[in-house]
Amino acid sequence: MSSHATAPRGAPSRNPCCLCWCCCCSCSWNQERQRAWQASRESKLQPLSSCEACAPPSPEEVQSWAQSFDKLMHSPAGRSVFRAFLRTEYSEENMLFWLACEELKAEANRHVVDEKARLIYEDYVSILSPKEVSLDSRVREGINRKMQEPSAHTFDDAQLQIYTLMHRDSYPRFLSSPTYRALLLPEPPQSSSEA
């Protein structure tokens, strides 16, 4: 930790202890950044998770997911079910990355954008991450350049690439999966108050 005690020559003013933004050190700057990200993440993602877990999708909504991948991804319940399916295929990180990029694009605060972009990089783009998403070298190099001055759109190309991967690869398997087919089956008779 003593190697990070003073700023190296040319260090950015927003990072007084080191040039490290990949979280490889445990300096106080990284710890503070992690706390800020966690607080922001909990306040923004909690309502989404609760909403997705509370109401089961209607049969019509479930059927609409087979019409297009866009309909599935625009439905909170659809994203939740698809994410659970991706978890069974050990590719949940694709949905998590896509959701993190959506959250980043909705952020207006420059400081928060910077923090979230760096954490998205650490969580999903860094080759050291256990949740690394599969990106081609052109997109990865573009992200590395953009990370010098991160913005809400730093990951747009990568997000599109992962969206396309899920659409072409996982989505067809999802539609033929027992998970999706079970949702298409009629519910057992209960108190049917819907008309």
Side-chain angles (χ1 to χ4, degrees):
M1 185 142 157
S2 62
S3 65
H4 295 292
T6 60
R9 259 184 342 132
S13 62
R14 67 176 187 247
N15 184 354
C17 65
C18 64
L19 288 172
C20 176
W21 55 265
C22 68
C23 205
C24 65
C25 66
S26 60
C27 63
S28 60
W29 183 79
N30 276 333
Q31 291 170 354
E32 180 57 35
R33 188 167 53 92
Q34 192 72 354
R35 277 192 294 275
W37 168 254
Q38 197 62 27
S40 170
R41 187 175 203 152
E42 288 169 2
S43 67
K44 293 205 170 159
L45 290 184
Q46 200 66 332
L48 179 64
S49 298
S50 299
C51 176
E52 289 180 5
C54 66
S58 69
E60 295 78 21
E61 184 178 7
V62 172
Q63 290 172 352
S64 75
W65 300 342
Q67 294 170 7
S68 78
F69 185 60
D70 287 337
K71 288 186 179 187
L72 173 71
M73 293 297 283
H74 281 99
S75 161
R79 287 190 307 268
S80 180
V81 172
F82 188 56
R83 179 178 168 185
F85 170 76
L86 291 174
R87 193 175 303 126
T88 68
E89 293 204 325
Y90 304 100
S91 59
E92 181 184 20
E93 67 276 0
N94 292 332
M95 177 65 82
L96 295 174
F97 172 73
W98 186 85
L99 289 169
C101 291
E102 286 295 296
E103 185 179 317
L104 177 67
K105 288 192 286 189
E107 186 58 60
N109 181 307
R110 179 76 187 133
H111 178 70
V112 175
V113 166
D114 185 59
E115 298 303 316
K116 286 184 179 187
R118 293 186 191 288
L119 283 164
I120 290 171
Y121 184 91
E122 293 162 7
D123 287 348
Y124 304 107
V125 179
S126 170
I127 60 172
L128 301 175
S129 172
K131 297 185 289 185
E132 178 188 7
V133 293
S134 180
L135 300 171
D136 66 39
S137 61
R138 179 191 60 80
V139 170
R140 192 174 295 278
E141 288 168 8
I143 290 171
N144 287 336
R145 279 190 307 274
K146 292 174 184 176
M147 284 304 294
Q148 299 301 315
E149 289 293 327
S151 76
H153 299 284
T154 296
F155 301 101
D156 285 357
D157 292 340
Q159 186 184 23
L160 177 61
Q161 192 171 72
I162 294 303
Y163 186 88
T164 302
L165 175 70
M166 290 190 296
H167 181 200
R168 291 184 180 162
D169 188 47
S170 303
Y171 176 63
R173 287 196 304 274
F174 169 73
L175 293 178
S176 59
S177 72
T179 303
Y180 179 69
R181 290 179 187 242
L183 291 171
L184 291 172
L185 298 174
E187 292 276 325
Q190 292 179 8
S191 60
S192 267
S193 58
E194 293 184 37

